[in-house]
Amino acid sequence: MSSHFDVLVIGAGPAGYVAAIRAAQLGLNVACIDEFLGKDGKPALGGTCLNVGCIPSKALLESTKQFHALTHSFKDHGISAGEPTMDVPTMVGRKDKIVKQLTGGIATLFKANKVKSFAGRGKLLSGKRVEIRFHDGATEVVSANHVILAAGSVPIQIPGIPFDGTHIVDNVGALDFTAVPRRFGVIGAGVIGLEMGSVWRRLGSEVTILEALPDFLAACDADISRVAAREYKKQGLDIKLGCKVTAAKVNGDEVQISYTDAVGTEHQLTVDKLLVSVGRRAYTQGLLAEDSGVTLNSRGQIEVDEHCRTSLEGVWAIGDCVRGPMLAHKGSEEGIAVAELIAGKAGHVNLDTVPWVIYTEPEIAWVGKTEKELKDAGIPVRTGSFPFAAIGRAMAMNEAYGQVKVIAHAETDRVLGVHMVGPMVSELIAECVVAMEFQASSEDLARICHAHPTLSEAVHEAALGVDKRAIHRAN
Ligand code: FAD
Ligand code: NAD
């Protein structure tokens, strides 16, 4: 007997599971289909983010940050201990435990909200029917008034350099090494390359990152990427820009890479592990029957309007499989908005205020436009910056590096972008997202009382700096 639901979600990543829970909260009869299997071979909800993305990478970043502090900065505090060692299987085991706890938590939330969970692969057929292929090969067709496609994304492979899961890996492999690779190569100096490069560099790997573009972290404000590049260099991350990788071959227990540098000179590089992190693409393979009625755009993403409506009435798409930044929180907000629209409420996501965070040391965070983007668009701006070197709390933490930069419209003073590099900026950015959502001016930020001594004083001072009236530096 086939089942019918108010809402059927395909994909239980941060976009899909949040949409399912919100729809259930609104009184709708909801089911969610997900095919992901965890390391133990059992269904695991939470998608890329919880299983092999945001959470496990942050767990390893935290472990290695602690190790690095022990080996590098504890002595500045007068703390000494014996020769520190890192037990990689214990570190990876701690990461796995966190993943299991969180993915299990989604299953509990589904039960609590009466979301029916199907473990298998979903395919959208015509007439808002969905075929579920269970892991044992059995199939069932269900139907719904509304279908939400939240199939996420997969890593892009470079032609001729296939992942083998052991020596040439994607994000999944790079999270599960059993020992520290002596030489770690990365293709792509983007978010994954920098985060995973940092993890293994802190444990002693020689890390070489080969980036195709001539500019480093081109999406960031130039003042921020300049500081970050300097700090990464100090840490020993060898980032080579303007490189074209021409081949990578596994030879015994090594990977031999051929590449040409920015001036066209050919080079060879031998590493023990190679991570390919050159971006991700929407995962739509096998998701849509030919007559499903849903169309893709030229980038292979599911085509949607500003409310995540696809070309077919009653079918919606959210998260990494549609346009916009590939970020967990962006997908979750779309999930909430779509559930609310289905329930007849007003759902909306402002893609202009989605914050970005890179969890390296120093952390990088931003919201809104860069100074270059605004200038290129002919928008007059005033900027204010403030260094963490002049912030007492940052000094007390032994992390007095980096800066906050506030960009405001030169005439209206409206905040158009805030860019940060430094300690805990992943947390500081939230205030700036609120400010931009409320269309605050830099003066609004400047007139808000910030606790002392905190890192947030750097935001306050940078906002004061827009009007050349920062207190703790010469303007
Ligand atoms: P996904 O999380 O990819 O979930 C999609 C789910 O759908 C998966 O479980 C998949 O198996 C399932 N699925 C797909 N097709 C089908 C089908 N036909 N039938 C059934 N199930 C299907 N973002 C951040 O915001 N912060 C971070 O710190 C961060 N760190 C990251 C670190 C790494 C290493 C990686 C790889 C990504 C990171 N991201 C981060 C990005 C983030 O993981 C994604 O933006 C987010 O997971 C997208 O959510 P989603 O729900 O759209 O898709
Ligand atoms: P990315 O887009 O961040 O970076 C890919 C990099 O690879 C770019 O700098 C690009 O110029 C470069 N590149 C592309 N082709 C290349 C080639 N052939 N040779 C050398 N370099 C090449 O992609 P990613 O690092 O794979 O991460 C994918 C996405 O996952 C991110 O864009 C982000 O949306 C998400 N993510 C977010 C976080 C976070 O929020 N902290 C962490 C990890 C991943």
Side-chain angles (χ1 to χ4, degrees):
M1 197 189 82
S2 84
S3 312
H4 185 82
F5 298 90
D6 295 330
V7 179
L8 191 52
V9 185
I10 303 182
Y17 85 72
V18 169
I21 290 174
R22 184 68 189 122
Q25 281 175 350
L26 291 164
L28 298 164
N29 173 23
V30 184
C32 183
I33 308 166
D34 191 276
E35 65 173 347
F36 198 94
L37 297 176
K39 274 173 88 173
D40 57 5
K42 295 190 180 142
L45 303 173
T48 303
C49 170
L50 264 53
N51 287 287
V52 290
C54 322
I55 297 299
S57 59
K58 265 80 261 178
L60 298 188
L61 279 158
E62 192 56 40
S63 295
T64 55
K65 181 181 168 176
Q66 306 268 3
F67 181 77
H68 194 262
L70 180 58
T71 50
H72 286 75
S73 61
F74 271 30
K75 63 178 185 313
D76 298 340
H77 294 271
I79 302 169
S80 57
E83 186 63 27
T85 57
M86 171 58 95
D87 182 63
V88 173
T90 301
M91 175 182 81
V92 171
R94 186 189 87 98
K95 177 264 291 178
D96 290 341
K97 229 166 119 183
I98 295 168
V99 167
K100 196 141 188 69
Q101 196 176 338
L102 287 172
T103 55
I106 306 299
T108 307
L109 286 171
F110 272 7
K111 277 200 190 99
N113 285 284
K114 300 191 173 52
V115 173
K116 168 94 180 135
S117 188
F118 291 108
R121 184 162 179 71
K123 181 179 195 172
L124 181 69
L125 310 175
S126 61
K128 287 183 277 179
R129 291 170 309 126
V130 172
E131 178 198 80
I132 307 169
R133 182 168 295 274
F134 296 99
H135 293 297
D136 63 4
T139 57
E140 180 182 344
V141 174
V142 295
S143 58
N145 297 340
H146 292 269
V147 178
I148 304 176
L149 305 170
S153 63
V154 286
I156 293 173
Q157 293 216 23
I158 300 178
I161 309 181
F163 300 122
D164 71 357
T166 310
H167 295 95
I168 303 179
V169 298
D170 58 9
N171 56 296
V172 180
L175 291 163
D176 268 342
F177 296 157
T178 50
V180 179
R182 189 168 68 78
R183 298 158 301 180
F184 182 44
V186 180
I187 307 180
V191 199
I192 295 180
L194 292 170
E195 289 187 352
M196 296 316 298
S198 296
V199 163
W200 298 107
R201 174 67 201 138
R202 292 169 190 170
L203 299 184
S205 295
E206 288 166 23
V207 178
T208 309
I209 307 183
L210 304 172
E211 164 62 42
L213 292 179
D215 296 322
F216 178 60
L217 274 181
C220 272
D221 191 273
D223 288 342
I224 302 303
S225 53
R226 203 168 23 247
V227 173
R230 195 178 61 217
E231 295 295 330
Y232 296 148
K233 192 168 178 194
K234 275 195 225 158
Q235 293 161 17
L237 285 178
D238 184 7
I239 302 169
K240 297 184 190 298
L241 302 175
C243 293
K244 184 169 167 30
V245 176
T246 49
K249 291 206 169 23
V250 178
N251 188 2
D253 221 14
E254 297 179 334
V255 187
Q256 285 167 349
I257 305 159
S258 308
Y259 69 94
T260 50
D261 66 16
V263 292
T265 309
E266 287 184 19
H267 297 268
Q268 306 293 322
L269 173 71
T270 303
V271 297
D272 303 297
K273 301 277 184 191
L274 174 65
L275 165 66
V276 179
S277 50
V278 294
R280 297 175 65 85
R281 60 176 173 79
Y283 182 45
T284 54
Q285 207 182 335
L287 176 69
L288 307 168
E290 293 231 327
D291 60 351
S292 71
V294 170
T295 55
L296 304 181
N297 65 20
S298 59
R299 299 185 59 197
Q301 299 159 325
I302 298 168
E303 182 75 35
V304 288
D305 68 7
E306 72 275 23
H307 292 300
C308 298
R309 284 184 292 235
T310 69
S311 47
L312 185 68
E313 165 112 44
V315 179
W316 312 71
I318 56 177
D320 277 14
C321 64
V322 303
R323 83 287 174 267
M326 288 186 166
L327 295 172
H329 41 282
K330 173 263 192 185
S332 297
E333 289 308 314
E334 286 177 337
I336 289 173
V338 164
E340 294 187 346
L341 288 166
I342 289 172
K345 296 179 173 294
H348 175 66
V349 178
N350 181 3
L351 291 181
D352 291 337
T353 53
V354 174
W356 275 86
V357 177
I358 306 178
Y359 297 81
T360 49
E361 285 292 305
E363 291 184 345
I364 298 173
W366 74 91
V367 57
K369 299 268 189 274
T370 65
E371 187 171 350
K372 181 171 185 313
E373 284 170 335
L374 291 163
K375 285 192 169 155
D376 287 351
I379 297 169
V381 297
R382 292 194 306 163
T383 66
S385 299
F386 198 81
F388 284 103
I391 294 290
R393 183 73 190 278
M395 287 178 188
M397 291 166 66
N398 216 21
E399 294 186 42
Y401 47 72
Q403 60 169 297
V404 175
K405 173 174 174 179
V406 173
I407 309 174
H409 194 288
E411 286 142 23
T412 66
D413 194 34
R414 181 168 166 182
V415 177
L416 301 175
V418 184
H419 304 266
M420 310 176 178
V421 54
M424 299 302 290
V425 296
S426 53
E427 301 294 336
L428 298 188
I429 200 67
E431 171 187 9
C432 305
V433 178
V434 173
M436 284 190 63
E437 273 293 328
F438 282 80
Q439 304 187 5
S441 61
S442 80
E443 181 164 2
D444 288 326
L445 272 177
R447 288 192 182 277
I448 290 170
C449 182
H450 288 71
H452 174 75
T454 62
L455 298 172
S456 71
E457 289 172 290
V459 176
H460 189 216
E461 290 273 12
L464 284 162
V466 172
D467 200 31
K468 303 267 177 291
R469 55 193 169 106
I471 300 296
H472 294 94
R473 75 178 296 190
N475 289 288

